[in-house]
Amino acid sequence: MVKIETFAVEQWMDKYEVTAKYNTAETCAASISIDDLRALSEDKTTDPLGQLQSTKLTYGAIRGSDKLRETLANLYSAKTPTPLPKDNVLIAAGAIQANFLALYTLCGPGDHVICHYPTYQQLYSVPASLGAEVSLWKSKEANGWQLDIEELKGMIRPNTKLIIINNPQNPTGAIIPRETLENLIDVARESSLTIFADEVYRPLFHNISPADPQFPPSLLSLGYERTVVTGSISKAYSLAGLRVGWIASRSRSIIEACASSRDYTTISVGQIDDAIASFALAPECIHNLLKRNIELARTNLAILEKFIEEHRWACGWVKPRAGTTAFVRFTKLGKPINDVVFCERLQERTGVMLVPGSLCFGAGEEFQGYVRIGYVCETEVLEKALDALRSFMEDDYEEVPVLKKARVPQQ
């Protein structure tokens, strides 16, 4: 294994989130308690913890309980001609472990990997650490953070093995629409390539309707066997503390290989985590939970959009369509600000936590001036954070240095 790069965004979160007064860097929809979960559920007789009071806390079901895997398989089987068997789902300790296991299993030395970009650093740094050569398939702000299929075709090599996408996308909140996904599968099928989709922000779609022809289905629903997706209970379902994620694939051989890889990491997910996740994703609860989070996302996005419009002299964005994050570009007189200094001073002086784009989502001059804002926190937290940010823009923004070399993309 090659030395792995420092995981910049996680290092930043670890350094600042404990001391932040207003954490608008968080990527999970506002967290809830088990009591909140029970209140949301239409099942008023089941206690997700009560049934475990007399259960011996062994490792439990190694691949995840039948109930949880069946629940997830049913979710992936909706509106598809071929149901997904529960044995094609593997439970993991969060999406971060699910991603690592999938990447560890699917690529290695001598392989060429193509990765959607910008995205969560794990998706391109882990393949590189495993000895694969990684090419970045760049979405562009000027094109609404969309991907170019023709560009992808020119990137494929004889040793290309894997295409990685993130849908919805972190940090931009953009989606890869249905047509692009279908074209992507056509390209992958022609060269017998595997597609891996990190779908951890699915199904938190708040700015596109399921009736829209470009609404993106899960990659698993599009009929190509060499697909694998990951998800988790953390982002769209507000339960990051459970540490429950999963890998699902139309290919049973991929699941078996990932299960074999996992033998060297965590043996299983805890029975308590599994049971609460099963309760949350059950039909009696999941719809109300998602309704709560989609409404929260819409409310908060409107609040953030008002701030952006008030400060067009300093910032711009492509409005997110899904997920929990926005990628906002800050400038002064047409030049990008030093986003790291901006985020550091903002937290020091106001307690508002944001994530600097150039440090955590790019290298060199790529995303200078960009910050990631996690806006699906409690509405009160966002409102107070933006009030503090308004004051900072009036009183302290002039002191933030600019970066003279980079050019601001044209809109």
Side-chain angles (χ1 to χ4, degrees):
M1 181 181 287
V2 179
K3 184 180 183 296
I4 197 164
E5 293 290 332
T6 298
F7 204 157
V9 70
E10 295 301 337
Q11 296 265 327
W12 183 272
M13 296 295 289
D14 183 55
K15 182 177 181 180
Y16 288 107
E17 65 182 334
V18 174
T19 59
K21 186 176 181 180
Y22 306 112
N23 186 351
T24 44
E26 180 57 73
T27 58
C28 303
S31 298
I32 59 174
S33 67
I34 295 174
D35 285 344
D36 294 331
L37 196 63
R38 293 182 67 185
L40 286 166
S41 177
E42 295 169 7
D43 178 1
K44 301 304 181 184
T45 61
T46 300
D47 179 356
L49 287 179
Q51 59 189 341
L52 290 169
Q53 297 295 321
S54 59
T55 300
K56 291 184 179 180
L57 296 179
T58 65
Y59 286 113
I62 301 302
R63 297 192 178 198
S65 69
D66 283 349
K67 182 177 181 181
L68 181 54
R69 291 187 297 135
E70 285 172 356
T71 298
L72 287 164
N74 289 337
L75 290 174
Y76 283 114
S77 298
K79 299 181 180 180
T80 60
T82 307
L84 185 74
K86 69 176 176 61
D87 289 336
N88 284 48
V89 179
L90 178 67
I91 306 304
I96 196 164
Q97 189 200 37
N99 287 348
F100 187 90
L101 289 174
L103 295 168
Y104 180 84
T105 301
L106 295 170
C107 64
D111 293 330
H112 176 237
V113 172
I114 299 171
C115 185
H116 182 188
Y117 182 83
T119 191
Y120 193 51
Q121 183 184 333
Q122 182 191 34
L123 299 182
Y124 51 88
S125 286
V126 168
S129 77
L130 297 169
E133 184 179 358
V134 180
S135 296
L136 300 178
W137 185 20
K138 297 183 178 183
S139 59
K140 300 174 179 63
E141 182 182 6
N143 192 33
W145 299 113
Q146 292 304 297
L147 291 164
D148 186 337
I149 290 292
E150 293 303 314
E151 182 180 340
L152 172 67
K153 292 177 182 178
M155 297 173 72
I156 293 173
R157 306 174 188 173
N159 64 330
T160 301
K161 187 174 182 182
L162 182 66
I163 300 171
I164 301 167
I165 59 173
N166 179 203
N167 194 26
Q169 184 188 33
N170 172 16
T172 69
I175 61 166
I176 305 173
R178 170 182 280 271
E179 183 179 6
T180 303
L181 291 174
E182 291 172 343
N183 291 336
L184 170 59
I185 285 176
D186 289 341
V187 172
R189 182 180 281 117
E190 185 175 340
S191 299
S192 298
L193 304 178
T194 299
I195 312 173
F196 164 43
D198 177 340
E199 295 182 345
V200 72
Y201 291 95
R202 180 180 180 82
L204 199 60
F205 297 101
H206 46 72
N207 199 17
I208 182 171
S209 165
D212 191 309
Q214 289 306 309
F215 185 86
S218 171
L219 193 69
L220 289 190
S221 69
L222 295 177
Y224 182 47
E225 182 172 313
R226 300 173 72 95
T227 55
V228 56
V229 306
T230 55
S232 108
I233 204 82
S234 299
K235 309 300 185 183
Y237 301 106
S238 300
L239 294 165
L242 292 187
R243 308 313 304 134
V244 172
W246 55 84
I247 306 170
S249 179
R250 287 288 171 187
S251 169
R252 182 68 179 277
S253 64
I254 288 178
I255 294 297
E256 292 303 315
C258 289
S260 179
S261 297
R262 199 187 59 174
D263 289 341
Y264 288 94
T265 59
T266 56
I267 294 172
S268 63
V269 169
Q271 291 185 69
I272 295 173
D273 302 69
D274 188 303
I276 299 171
S278 298
F279 182 84
L281 296 177
E284 295 82 5
C285 188
I286 187 173
H287 303 296
N288 288 339
L289 178 54
L290 280 175
K291 180 181 178 182
R292 177 254 190 192
N293 288 350
I294 289 171
E295 288 178 353
L296 179 64
R298 286 175 176 160
T299 296
N300 288 8
L301 186 61
I303 294 169
L304 179 57
E305 183 174 26
K306 181 180 178 182
F307 175 89
I308 299 291
E309 292 303 319
E310 290 172 353
H311 295 82
R312 279 291 180 181
W313 55 271
C315 59
W317 68 343
V318 174
K319 184 178 177 180
R321 307 194 73 183
T324 65
T325 62
F327 212 33
V328 180
R329 175 175 35 82
F330 284 81
T331 61
K332 286 170 61 176
L333 300 175
K335 296 177 181 177
I337 62 165
N338 185 318
D339 48 286
V340 176
V341 171
F342 174 68
C343 290
E344 289 174 341
R345 290 186 183 175
L346 180 65
Q347 178 143 342
E348 289 169 2
R349 298 179 186 184
T350 70
V352 175
M353 183 180 177
L354 302 177
V355 175
S358 66
L359 177 67
C360 298
F361 293 98
E365 300 177 358
E366 188 109 36
F367 296 119
Q368 289 181 349
Y370 288 82
V371 301
R372 187 185 74 180
I373 302 177
Y375 58 87
V376 195
C377 49
E378 289 86 354
T379 300
E380 182 182 7
V381 172
L382 181 66
E383 289 175 330
K384 290 182 176 179
L386 293 180
D387 283 343
L389 180 54
R390 281 187 181 91
S391 296
F392 182 90
M393 297 298 290
E394 292 175 4
D395 300 333
D396 300 294
Y397 189 66
E398 183 61 33
E399 299 175 15
V400 177
V402 297
L403 294 163
K404 299 180 180 180
K405 294 183 180 180
R407 293 182 298 172
V408 177
Q410 298 298 311
Q411 296 299 298

